[in-house]
Amino acid sequence: LVESRISGRRCELAVAGVGINWTPPPLEEALHPVTGLEPEVASRTPGAPPPSPATLLASVLGGIELSYLVLKAAGPAPFLSLWPRLSAHFLRPALVYGPGGPGGSGEGREVVTGDLLPDGRLRALGADGRWVELAADEVRLSLPWS
């Protein structure tokens, strides 16, 4: 989850939050599949103990720190090049709304997501065959299983 403050076309600041389910939360009715890290690791490596929460936290924080250092040194290019391989949203349907997002601009129109641009906008292909460049408040990404 990333919250940001935008001024014009410039992001003044961004705060990122990360949530990791260690064990599946007790949800009676979930809209999407919900799992936890412990059972996922157990299913992939039978008999191997899952990492401790402290080990997991150290690994996640180390990865965030490394990503920050890469971003600071090299800019967004290394991350933009990884988007097609690592994103669950690349070449998937998304709904597009006008500026301000779904809250006040009526029904969305469907697009297919493409690349991320250096300024953080998403390039997407519309039903009319034209490419559009979308800000975060204009698009709602579909989940891969929806």
Side-chain angles (χ1 to χ4, degrees):
L1 173 65
V2 178
E3 296 287 333
S4 60
R5 181 171 45 200
I6 308 292
S7 178
R9 296 192 80 167
R10 179 169 164 73
C11 178
E12 292 181 348
L13 66 91
V15 177
V18 178
I20 299 171
N21 294 333
W22 185 250
T23 56
L27 298 175
E28 297 300 320
E29 294 182 30
L31 294 175
H32 305 289
V34 179
T35 189
L37 184 66
E38 192 174 33
E40 289 293 322
V41 170
S43 72
R44 288 176 169 74
T45 55
S52 70
T55 300
L56 174 66
L57 180 61
S59 178
V60 168
L61 292 176
I64 290 170
E65 180 182 30
L66 178 60
S67 296
Y68 170 74
L69 294 172
V70 169
L71 182 63
K72 192 171 178 181
F79 300 96
L80 298 176
S81 68
L82 290 173
W83 168 261
R85 282 199 344 246
L86 299 179
S87 174
H89 300 292
F90 183 67
L91 297 180
R92 299 239 182 227
L95 290 176
V96 176
Y97 300 86
S105 46
E107 293 221 3
R109 67 184 196 281
E110 191 165 299
V111 297
V112 174
T113 62
D115 292 324
L116 286 182
L117 302 172
D119 65 1
R121 290 178 298 147
L122 177 68
R123 190 166 180 249
L125 186 61
D128 61 1
R130 293 187 196 165
W131 288 99
V132 293
E133 296 175 356
L134 305 165
D137 66 344
E138 295 175 304
V139 63
R140 178 175 290 167
L141 297 174
S142 303
L143 295 172
W145 51 79
S146 57

